Amino acid sequence: MDVPTLVTQAREGRPRAVARLISLVEGASPQLREVMAALAPRCGNAYVVGLTGSPGVGKSTSTSALVSAYRRTGKRVGVLAVDPSSPFSGGALLGDRVRMGEHASDSGVYIRSMATRGHLGGLAWSAPQAIRVLDAAGCDVILVETVGVGQSEVEIASQADTSVVLLAPGMGDGIQAAKAGILEIGDLYVVNKADRDGADATARELNHMLGLGEARAPGDWRPPIVKTVAARGEGVDEVVEALEKHRAWMEEHGVLDERRAKRAAREIETIAVTALRERIGNLSGDRRLGALAERIVSGSLDPYTAADELVAGLTQES
């Protein structure tokens, strides 16, 4: 099927067309440029919410509960659930669809699982383009659930309008949360499984950690802490209310447009660097690269100057 037809059908809310467009994105299809060009005029309307946290805090359950809450308000919801890939087979369990089975028959919800395919940061490499597809397909809200983060996978902060960090009682102390870097990326913190012992202590400790070294000006956003029991839907409406408050604050202070501009700039940079890397890779048998390497070995040239010469040569060819 041709790209314009797929885009038209995706805009009409046909899930098969949305699925095929995301598959083109994931597979780095030769039609990818045509797809992105066709989607561009239709993007920029969806509110992107990222959910991250350690394994076992209830990200998938919370995502499913948020879908239900947004659907009650009549909004179309897209879900991008990123799962880790096996380092041996390259496959992924993609189990989030199992936990969100209650939305499978809802035409106003589109759920897509994606494998990281070895990409670090908690997201798949093609996640930004997949978000664009869901945005152009008419989703009002896009929920992006990352893999279970360790102590460096905080890329979601650069891909979402609002980042939600989930924690749970008994999942580690505040020092571990600080080491993980999540205290810097969250716009909203959710203590899930709040019916367990220690939930209040976790919330207090988190609030204390957020206050350390705090240097916010009057009117700056202070991340709220909300306690939930996502499995029973408790506290989810409060999470949605906090998300809407953050969105309104960003729009009022121009932060939303600023974040989206930075996100687009990073996307451009990533695409450009990838294209340059591919061009350099194609030079593996080229005499220029070999000659530069020989000069480095002989000591007549340093690697940085060699790299500058290589990039300058590629630029002149363009």
Side-chain angles (χ1 to χ4, degrees):
M1 190 177 296
D2 62 285
V3 170
T5 302
L6 280 176
V7 171
T8 300
Q9 292 186 355
R11 190 62 183 172
E12 295 171 352
R14 300 191 188 184
R16 183 169 296 181
V18 177
R20 294 189 67 175
L21 286 173
I22 295 181
S23 294
L24 291 176
V25 167
E26 283 192 288
S29 167
Q31 296 176 295
L32 181 56
R33 291 178 179 271
E34 183 183 358
V35 169
M36 289 297 108
L39 295 178
R42 299 172 170 83
C43 293
N45 300 310
Y47 177 42
V48 183
V49 178
L51 294 96
T52 189
S54 302
V57 297
K59 292 189 300 297
S60 298
T61 305
S62 297
T63 301
S64 180
L66 282 173
V67 171
S68 299
Y70 276 117
R71 288 298 293 147
R72 286 195 293 270
T73 65
K75 293 183 178 180
R76 293 186 63 188
V77 183
V79 178
L80 203 60
V82 184
D83 283 289
S85 301
S86 167
F88 303 102
S89 67
L93 180 60
L94 307 180
D96 298 281
R97 296 182 185 181
V98 177
R99 294 191 179 98
M100 302 180 200
E102 61 184 287
H103 306 294
S105 59
D106 188 345
S107 60
V109 179
Y110 182 87
I111 302 173
R112 175 74 176 219
S113 295
M114 301 179 69
T116 58
R117 300 185 180 183
H119 182 74
L120 299 179
L123 294 178
W125 182 88
S126 54
Q129 289 75 34
I131 291 172
R132 286 182 176 275
V133 172
L134 294 176
D135 186 357
C139 291
D140 300 302
V141 179
I142 300 173
L143 303 176
V144 183
E145 178 197 336
T146 74
V147 302
V149 295
Q151 292 187 335
S152 63
E153 295 160 319
V154 291
E155 189 179 338
I156 187 61
S158 65
Q159 298 297 336
D161 297 324
T162 299
S163 297
V164 179
V165 176
L166 284 91
L167 303 97
M171 300 297 291
D173 59 15
I175 299 299
Q176 292 300 319
K179 284 170 61 180
I182 59 175
L183 298 184
E184 287 78 28
I185 70 167
D187 299 305
L188 167 63
Y189 292 87
V190 174
V191 179
N192 191 33
K193 305 181 181 181
D195 53 341
R196 292 184 177 181
D197 293 337
D200 291 337
T202 299
R204 284 196 304 270
E205 190 171 41
L206 179 59
N207 186 56
H208 174 68
M209 295 296 293
L210 288 173
L212 292 177
E214 188 178 62
R216 293 186 175 90
D220 284 354
W221 177 258
R222 176 178 171 82
I225 301 171
V226 181
K227 290 187 291 185
T228 66
V229 183
R232 299 202 296 259
E234 297 176 10
V236 178
D237 289 337
E238 286 79 358
V239 174
V240 172
E241 182 181 353
L243 288 171
E244 292 304 315
K245 285 183 178 179
H246 184 242
R247 183 179 187 177
W249 176 86
M250 288 191 295
E251 291 176 343
E252 179 183 351
H253 292 81
V255 176
L256 185 59
D257 290 337
E258 180 182 341
R259 288 191 175 188
R260 291 179 175 179
K262 288 182 179 179
R263 188 162 73 221
R266 279 188 291 266
E267 190 174 359
I268 294 169
E269 180 182 350
T270 300
I271 294 171
V273 170
T274 301
L276 183 60
R277 186 179 293 117
E278 290 177 353
R279 292 186 62 184
I280 293 176
N282 293 333
L283 291 176
S284 57
D286 191 282
R287 289 180 301 175
R288 289 171 298 174
L289 188 58
L292 290 171
E294 290 175 0
R295 291 171 63 189
I296 292 174
V297 173
S298 67
S300 62
L301 190 68
D302 67 273
Y304 290 94
T305 303
D308 290 340
E309 290 186 17
L310 182 61
V311 171
L314 293 173
T315 304
Q316 291 173 1
E317 289 180 1
S318 300

PDB file of all heavy atoms in Angstrom, residues 208-225:
ATOM      1  N   HIS A 208      11.638  14.551  50.983  1.00  0.00           N
ATOM      2  CA  HIS A 208      12.855  15.091  51.579  1.00  0.00           C
ATOM      3  C   HIS A 208      13.982  15.158  50.555  1.00  0.00           C
ATOM      4  O   HIS A 208      14.701  16.172  50.472  1.00  0.00           O
ATOM      5  CB  HIS A 208      13.271  14.227  52.769  1.00  0.00           C
ATOM      6  CG  HIS A 208      14.595  14.612  53.364  1.00  0.00           C
ATOM      7  ND1 HIS A 208      14.798  15.799  54.029  1.00  0.00           N
ATOM      8  CD2 HIS A 208      15.799  13.958  53.355  1.00  0.00           C
ATOM      9  CE1 HIS A 208      16.059  15.864  54.436  1.00  0.00           C
ATOM     10  NE2 HIS A 208      16.686  14.768  54.034  1.00  0.00           N
ATOM     11  N   MET A 209      14.150  14.099  49.770  1.00  0.00           N
ATOM     12  CA  MET A 209      15.215  14.057  48.768  1.00  0.00           C
ATOM     13  C   MET A 209      14.997  15.129  47.702  1.00  0.00           C
ATOM     14  O   MET A 209      15.948  15.747  47.225  1.00  0.00           O
ATOM     15  CB  MET A 209      15.278  12.675  48.120  1.00  0.00           C
ATOM     16  CG  MET A 209      15.668  11.547  49.064  1.00  0.00           C
ATOM     17  SD  MET A 209      17.342  11.709  49.732  1.00  0.00           S
ATOM     18  CE  MET A 209      18.308  11.479  48.250  1.00  0.00           C
ATOM     19  N   LEU A 210      13.733  15.359  47.336  1.00  0.00           N
ATOM     20  CA  LEU A 210      13.448  16.388  46.327  1.00  0.00           C
ATOM     21  C   LEU A 210      13.762  17.779  46.851  1.00  0.00           C
ATOM     22  O   LEU A 210      14.070  18.694  46.076  1.00  0.00           O
ATOM     23  CB  LEU A 210      11.971  16.314  45.908  1.00  0.00           C
ATOM     24  CG  LEU A 210      11.561  15.117  45.046  1.00  0.00           C
ATOM     25  CD1 LEU A 210      10.052  15.089  44.855  1.00  0.00           C
ATOM     26  CD2 LEU A 210      12.262  15.173  43.693  1.00  0.00           C
ATOM     27  N   GLY A 211      13.686  17.948  48.183  1.00  0.00           N
ATOM     28  CA  GLY A 211      13.937  19.259  48.760  1.00  0.00           C
ATOM     29  C   GLY A 211      15.402  19.582  48.954  1.00  0.00           C
ATOM     30  O   GLY A 211      15.767  20.741  49.168  1.00  0.00           O
ATOM     31  N   LEU A 212      16.264  18.562  48.878  1.00  0.00           N
ATOM     32  CA  LEU A 212      17.692  18.790  49.078  1.00  0.00           C
ATOM     33  C   LEU A 212      18.255  19.632  47.941  1.00  0.00           C
ATOM     34  O   LEU A 212      18.105  19.296  46.758  1.00  0.00           O
ATOM     35  CB  LEU A 212      18.438  17.456  49.153  1.00  0.00           C
ATOM     36  CG  LEU A 212      18.156  16.593  50.392  1.00  0.00           C
ATOM     37  CD1 LEU A 212      18.907  15.281  50.292  1.00  0.00           C
ATOM     38  CD2 LEU A 212      18.561  17.347  51.663  1.00  0.00           C
ATOM     39  N   GLY A 213      18.901  20.716  48.284  1.00  0.00           N
ATOM     40  CA  GLY A 213      19.528  21.551  47.266  1.00  0.00           C
ATOM     41  C   GLY A 213      18.535  22.236  46.351  1.00  0.00           C
ATOM     42  O   GLY A 213      18.889  22.659  45.257  1.00  0.00           O
ATOM     43  N   GLU A 214      17.287  22.319  46.794  1.00  0.00           N
ATOM     44  CA  GLU A 214      16.260  22.909  45.945  1.00  0.00           C
ATOM     45  C   GLU A 214      16.499  24.404  45.759  1.00  0.00           C
ATOM     46  O   GLU A 214      16.711  25.137  46.708  1.00  0.00           O
ATOM     47  CB  GLU A 214      14.890  22.659  46.563  1.00  0.00           C
ATOM     48  CG  GLU A 214      13.730  23.048  45.674  1.00  0.00           C
ATOM     49  CD  GLU A 214      12.398  22.727  46.344  1.00  0.00           C
ATOM     50  OE1 GLU A 214      12.114  23.300  47.412  1.00  0.00           O
ATOM     51  OE2 GLU A 214      11.656  21.888  45.809  1.00  0.00           O
ATOM     52  N   ALA A 215      16.481  24.841  44.525  1.00  0.00           N
ATOM     53  CA  ALA A 215      16.700  26.262  44.226  1.00  0.00           C
ATOM     54  C   ALA A 215      15.703  26.703  43.172  1.00  0.00           C
ATOM     55  O   ALA A 215      16.042  26.983  42.030  1.00  0.00           O
ATOM     56  CB  ALA A 215      18.119  26.502  43.748  1.00  0.00           C
ATOM     57  N   ARG A 216      14.422  26.700  43.563  1.00  0.00           N
ATOM     58  CA  ARG A 216      13.369  27.052  42.618  1.00  0.00           C
ATOM     59  C   ARG A 216      12.902  28.482  42.865  1.00  0.00           C
ATOM     60  O   ARG A 216      12.730  28.905  44.006  1.00  0.00           O
ATOM     61  CB  ARG A 216      12.178  26.099  42.745  1.00  0.00           C
ATOM     62  CG  ARG A 216      12.489  24.664  42.315  1.00  0.00           C
ATOM     63  CD  ARG A 216      11.227  23.815  42.327  1.00  0.00           C
ATOM     64  NE  ARG A 216      11.477  22.486  41.805  1.00  0.00           N
ATOM     65  CZ  ARG A 216      11.842  21.456  42.557  1.00  0.00           C
ATOM     66  NH1 ARG A 216      11.988  21.622  43.853  1.00  0.00           N
ATOM     67  NH2 ARG A 216      12.055  20.275  42.019  1.00  0.00           N
ATOM     68  N   ALA A 217      12.690  29.182  41.779  1.00  0.00           N
ATOM     69  CA  ALA A 217      12.176  30.550  41.877  1.00  0.00           C
ATOM     70  C   ALA A 217      10.663  30.502  42.082  1.00  0.00           C
ATOM     71  O   ALA A 217      10.016  29.488  41.789  1.00  0.00           O
ATOM     72  CB  ALA A 217      12.517  31.325  40.611  1.00  0.00           C
ATOM     73  N   PRO A 218      10.069  31.576  42.583  1.00  0.00           N
ATOM     74  CA  PRO A 218       8.606  31.612  42.738  1.00  0.00           C
ATOM     75  C   PRO A 218       7.924  31.366  41.393  1.00  0.00           C
ATOM     76  O   PRO A 218       8.278  31.970  40.379  1.00  0.00           O
ATOM     77  CB  PRO A 218       8.343  33.027  43.248  1.00  0.00           C
ATOM     78  CG  PRO A 218       9.615  33.422  43.925  1.00  0.00           C
ATOM     79  CD  PRO A 218      10.719  32.782  43.122  1.00  0.00           C
ATOM     80  N   GLY A 219       6.976  30.460  41.380  1.00  0.00           N
ATOM     81  CA  GLY A 219       6.280  30.142  40.133  1.00  0.00           C
ATOM     82  C   GLY A 219       6.834  28.949  39.410  1.00  0.00           C
ATOM     83  O   GLY A 219       6.220  28.458  38.462  1.00  0.00           O
ATOM     84  N   ASP A 220       8.028  28.461  39.835  1.00  0.00           N
ATOM     85  CA  ASP A 220       8.596  27.267  39.208  1.00  0.00           C
ATOM     86  C   ASP A 220       7.770  26.042  39.593  1.00  0.00           C
ATOM     87  O   ASP A 220       7.113  26.012  40.631  1.00  0.00           O
ATOM     88  CB  ASP A 220      10.047  27.059  39.634  1.00  0.00           C
ATOM     89  CG  ASP A 220      10.993  28.010  38.923  1.00  0.00           C
ATOM     90  OD1 ASP A 220      10.522  28.732  38.025  1.00  0.00           O
ATOM     91  OD2 ASP A 220      12.187  28.016  39.262  1.00  0.00           O
ATOM     92  N   TRP A 221       7.848  25.027  38.749  1.00  0.00           N
ATOM     93  CA  TRP A 221       7.098  23.802  39.003  1.00  0.00           C
ATOM     94  C   TRP A 221       7.788  22.967  40.068  1.00  0.00           C
ATOM     95  O   TRP A 221       8.984  22.693  39.980  1.00  0.00           O
ATOM     96  CB  TRP A 221       6.971  22.985  37.719  1.00  0.00           C
ATOM     97  CG  TRP A 221       6.264  21.672  37.901  1.00  0.00           C
ATOM     98  CD1 TRP A 221       6.828  20.435  37.990  1.00  0.00           C
ATOM     99  CD2 TRP A 221       4.852  21.469  38.028  1.00  0.00           C
ATOM    100  NE1 TRP A 221       5.861  19.473  38.158  1.00  0.00           N
ATOM    101  CE2 TRP A 221       4.635  20.081  38.196  1.00  0.00           C
ATOM    102  CE3 TRP A 221       3.753  22.336  38.023  1.00  0.00           C
ATOM    103  CZ2 TRP A 221       3.366  19.539  38.334  1.00  0.00           C
ATOM    104  CZ3 TRP A 221       2.479  21.788  38.172  1.00  0.00           C
ATOM    105  CH2 TRP A 221       2.293  20.407  38.320  1.00  0.00           C
ATOM    106  N   ARG A 222       7.018  22.566  41.078  1.00  0.00           N
ATOM    107  CA  ARG A 222       7.530  21.631  42.075  1.00  0.00           C
ATOM    108  C   ARG A 222       6.841  20.294  41.857  1.00  0.00           C
ATOM    109  O   ARG A 222       5.611  20.203  41.969  1.00  0.00           O
ATOM    110  CB  ARG A 222       7.263  22.125  43.493  1.00  0.00           C
ATOM    111  CG  ARG A 222       7.710  21.107  44.557  1.00  0.00           C
ATOM    112  CD  ARG A 222       7.495  21.583  45.975  1.00  0.00           C
ATOM    113  NE  ARG A 222       7.728  20.510  46.928  1.00  0.00           N
ATOM    114  CZ  ARG A 222       8.930  20.150  47.368  1.00  0.00           C
ATOM    115  NH1 ARG A 222       9.998  20.786  46.923  1.00  0.00           N
ATOM    116  NH2 ARG A 222       9.073  19.169  48.232  1.00  0.00           N
ATOM    117  N   PRO A 223       7.603  19.248  41.553  1.00  0.00           N
ATOM    118  CA  PRO A 223       6.990  17.947  41.263  1.00  0.00           C
ATOM    119  C   PRO A 223       6.152  17.441  42.435  1.00  0.00           C
ATOM    120  O   PRO A 223       6.671  17.314  43.553  1.00  0.00           O
ATOM    121  CB  PRO A 223       8.193  17.031  41.011  1.00  0.00           C
ATOM    122  CG  PRO A 223       9.297  17.954  40.620  1.00  0.00           C
ATOM    123  CD  PRO A 223       9.063  19.207  41.401  1.00  0.00           C
ATOM    124  N   PRO A 224       4.875  17.162  42.211  1.00  0.00           N
ATOM    125  CA  PRO A 224       4.043  16.612  43.280  1.00  0.00           C
ATOM    126  C   PRO A 224       4.292  15.117  43.455  1.00  0.00           C
ATOM    127  O   PRO A 224       4.847  14.453  42.576  1.00  0.00           O
ATOM    128  CB  PRO A 224       2.621  16.871  42.787  1.00  0.00           C
ATOM    129  CG  PRO A 224       2.745  16.879  41.296  1.00  0.00           C
ATOM    130  CD  PRO A 224       4.106  17.421  40.982  1.00  0.00           C
ATOM    131  N   ILE A 225       3.894  14.605  44.600  1.00  0.00           N
ATOM    132  CA  ILE A 225       4.006  13.175  44.888  1.00  0.00           C
ATOM    133  C   ILE A 225       2.603  12.642  45.121  1.00  0.00           C
ATOM    134  O   ILE A 225       1.868  13.150  45.985  1.00  0.00           O
ATOM    135  CB  ILE A 225       4.887  12.930  46.126  1.00  0.00           C
ATOM    136  CG1 ILE A 225       6.290  13.497  45.907  1.00  0.00           C
ATOM    137  CG2 ILE A 225       4.958  11.437  46.446  1.00  0.00           C
ATOM    138  CD1 ILE A 225       7.152  13.489  47.157  1.00  0.00           C
TER     139      ILE A 225
END
